[in-house]
Each structure stands twice: as C-alpha cells, then as structure tokens.
Amino acid sequence: MGLQIYDNTLRDGEQAIGVAYSSTEKKEIIKKLTRIGIKNIEAGFIAVSYDEQLAIRDIVTKFPDVNIFCLARMCKQDIDLAYNNGVRNITIFTCASDELLKYKLKKDESQLLEDIKTCISYCKSKNMFVRFSCEDATRSSVERLKKLYKCAQDYGADFASVPDTSGVATPERIYKLITKLKKEVNIPFSIHCHNDLGLATANSIAAVLAGVEEVQTTINGIGERAGNTSFEEFVSIMQLIYGINLGVNLKGIVGLSEYVSKISNIPIPVNKPIIGKHVFSHESGLHVKIVNQGNTHCYEPFDPREINRTHNISFGKHSGIANINFLCDKYDIKIDDESKRKVLFEIKNNHIYQKGISDIDVLSIIKHLQ
Ligand code: KIV
Ligand code: ZN
C-alpha cells in the first residue's frame, strides 16, 4: 500500500491544554479534512466522557464513507463502548516501556501478551479493523516491541502503530527502530510522533524513509504538551519536496488551519512553517530585490501559490530601495529616487520598525514628504 495520513486533530489534538470541541465542530473539521483528501480520522477517545461517546456515535453515522476511528484502551470495557456506539475501526493502545508497565499498567510482559491476544481476538470476532498501538514505544526495548507487535499481528491486528509518546526520539533512532520492526512484523506500520524536542516532522519523515505506510498528524501540530506532527508541514514536505503524492489538496490547508486555530483558541505563531503569517514575507532589501525580479524561488522553499498563499513584502530596519520600489509598483505611485531614499531613511531611522511597519505607515511617510 502507499503512504497515507491518519488525522488525529480530534483526539490527540484535542488533548492540547484548554481544547474541547463540540460535536458540531468535530464534524466541521471532518468535513474540511475530507474535502482536501483525508480518509482516515481518529474522532475521539471513547472513554473520555458520555458527550464524547455521543459525538463519536453521531460522527460514525454521519460519515459512512470516511474511515472513522476511535481510540480505546486495550480492555473489553472500552472495546464494547466503542462497538456499541457504532465504531468499527478502532485504535487500541497499551503500554510497552518498563516504566509504564511498572507504574501505569502494573503488569508484566506475559500478562500483556495475554491481554493482546484476548482483546485483539475480541475485536476481530466483532469484525473490527484494528490498529494496535504501544505507548512509549520509543523507550521500550526493540525485543519487547517485536514480541508485542508480532502477537498483535498473529491475532489479527490490521495495523501496527508506533508512538513516540514523550517526543524523545530522533530521526536516526526512528529510522533504525522502524527498519528493525518491519523486518519482523508483516502488517502495515503507522508512526505517531510528539514534538517535545521539535523533531516530530523530522521523525515522521525518517519513519517514511524506513517504510511506514501511515503517518499520524494534527492540524497546526496541536496535541498533548508540545503537540504532534504538523499536518501542514508533513503533507507539504511530502508532496512538494519529496514528490510523494498523498492525494491532499494543498490549496485547502490554510483555511483548515485557520479554522482549527479559531475553534481551539490557539493562535498560529507568525513564524510557524508553512502557515505562519510571516513565512512568505520578505523585509530584507537584498531578498526583496530578488523577489521583485521574479526570482522568488531564491529565498522561498516553494511557490506559495502551491498552498494558495502569496508573497508579502514588509518594511523595517533591513529594508532597501527594492522594498520602496515594490510598494510604489503595488500602489502605482511615482516618486523620484531622492524621495525613495528619504522614505527609506525614515523607515530605517525613526525606530517605528521595531513595532512592525505596514504599507499604510509607508504610504503616510511618502505623503508627508510630498
Ligand atoms: O502518544 C501516544 O502514545 C498516544 C497513545 C494514546 C496512542 O497518543
Ligand atoms: Zn499521542
């Protein structure tokens, strides 16, 4: 199978501090995701609340053509709850590292293997599609992971999910881990990265290079603590840099990202890769000169029109005559070179640049000089 995206905005994304979507908002996110080509969506964590169960039940009925998953602990109680709310695609998780086995699950490896057998067989007896996930996989021994995923495979799991739960992995480690696991386990693999060290996107790419069939992302990278692999970053990198077509319409990602930012009440930082307000803006005169010549690719990773964005020219301490030329062209203003130099002098020397300076500010400087 090719590479696919599994969107986790509605579950891990919702675990970002202060975020709780209404059922209507969850459905709106799903509509927007499916419109741009996403087919696998984790709608929530079944055990969270009664409202969550109602929302999941509603979503499963309203989106029969989307692969709606829900997260469940590896226990009969959660599996039943999911099944009884109409869920047929489930992601069940358990613990894998020594620490979590000891302090959270309070079970040993052999009990864990028993639980895997029982729970996965139970899901399969109900004809469910099962993604099996090992929490804290990146701090577990590879030998144990092999045993757990192999056992899951033997009892019918359809997908193996590898979470870097605390965001501690690095690209080389992910690459090696996935390579080793894929040699032993013959079901498709999914990677689920957290961004605690700022490596979630890089780690997801490493997993792709090692052969995973699926990457889990969230819109704007929101999620537990520092969040998850950013959907916008990952899909843009895959489609525009690696040339791997994920079937995502990149022109729709900005609208989706703005919507999720609004309902999550989490602003998008101006320098956030791909979607931040400033990432296709140029202030430095040297750069603007090149952009004015039409050679935008010299200082941009790709053409912003690919994602339905445009270049923007800003003004400040680092501006040059090219910035003034750009503004004059934009507003069809004719001033001589001496005036342009004076405008630039004003911009560079009266310290307003420290607060950011808009087109309107520069237009007003020009007006006052005339
Ligand atoms: O990061 C993680 O380990 C998770 C699990 C619940 C799958 O989100
Ligand atoms: Zn997670």
Side-chain angles (χ1 to χ4, degrees), residues 9 39 261 270 290 334 362:
T9 310
K39 299 184 183 73
S261 165
V270 290
I290 302 288
K334 308 258 178 291
V362 183

Side-chain angles (χ1 to χ4, degrees), residues 2 10 15 22 24 37 47 76 117 166 210 225 234 239 259 274 287 312 330 334 346:
L10 298 178
Q15 283 176 222
S22 68
T24 311
K76 197 168 170 288
K117 281 182 207 169
S166 294
R225 304 180 311 279
F234 183 75
Q239 298 199 174
Y259 177 70
I274 317 292
H287 291 200
N312 186 36
K330 185 170 170 187
K334 308 258 178 291
E346 283 292 312

Side-chain angles (χ1 to χ4, degrees), residues 164 166-169 171 193-203 226-228 233:
D164 180 25
S166 294
V168 294
C193 294
H194 279 272
N195 204 30
D196 299 68
L197 301 178
L199 289 171
T201 302
N203 287 340
N228 295 68
E233 290 175 22

Side-chain angles (χ1 to χ4, degrees), residues 185-334:
V185 184
N186 299 317
I187 47 177
F189 270 84
S190 177
I191 187 84
H192 172 105
C193 294
H194 279 272
N195 204 30
D196 299 68
L197 301 178
L199 289 171
T201 302
N203 287 340
S204 302
I205 295 170
V208 170
L209 299 178
V212 294
E213 284 80 1
E214 179 181 273
V215 172
Q216 304 195 15
T217 58
T218 61
I219 306 300
N220 299 337
I222 59 169
E224 186 81 33
R225 304 180 311 279
N228 295 68
T229 303
S230 146
F231 171 77
E232 305 71 36
E233 290 175 22
F234 183 75
V235 296
S236 305
I237 295 170
M238 282 298 119
Q239 298 199 174
L240 300 174
I241 308 296
Y242 282 85
I244 297 174
N245 186 5
L246 298 169
V248 174
N249 175 6
L250 295 180
K251 302 226 179 339
I253 63 179
V254 173
L256 180 52
S257 146
E258 283 167 356
Y259 177 70
V260 170
S261 165
K262 191 174 100 198
I263 62 169
S264 312
N265 208 12
I266 302 182
I268 301 168
V270 290
N271 63 341
K272 183 153 173 59
I274 317 292
I275 48 172
K277 183 168 171 242
H278 289 176
V279 298
F280 292 101
S281 289
H282 306 274
E283 176 187 310
S284 153
L286 289 174
H287 291 200
V288 174
K289 192 171 172 190
I290 302 288
V291 172
N292 277 355
Q293 290 164 358
N295 296 317
T296 49
H297 59 280
C298 291
Y299 287 111
E300 288 172 352
F302 53 78
D303 188 334
R305 285 172 299 187
E306 295 276 8
I307 56 164
N308 212 13
R309 296 195 63 182
T310 50
H311 320 278
N312 186 36
I313 303 301
S314 301
F315 299 90
K317 179 180 171 182
H318 307 94
S319 298
I321 287 295
N323 299 57
I324 314 298
N325 285 337
F326 177 87
L327 185 101
C328 288
D329 285 350
K330 185 170 170 187
Y331 293 96
D332 201 19
I333 294 170
K334 308 258 178 291

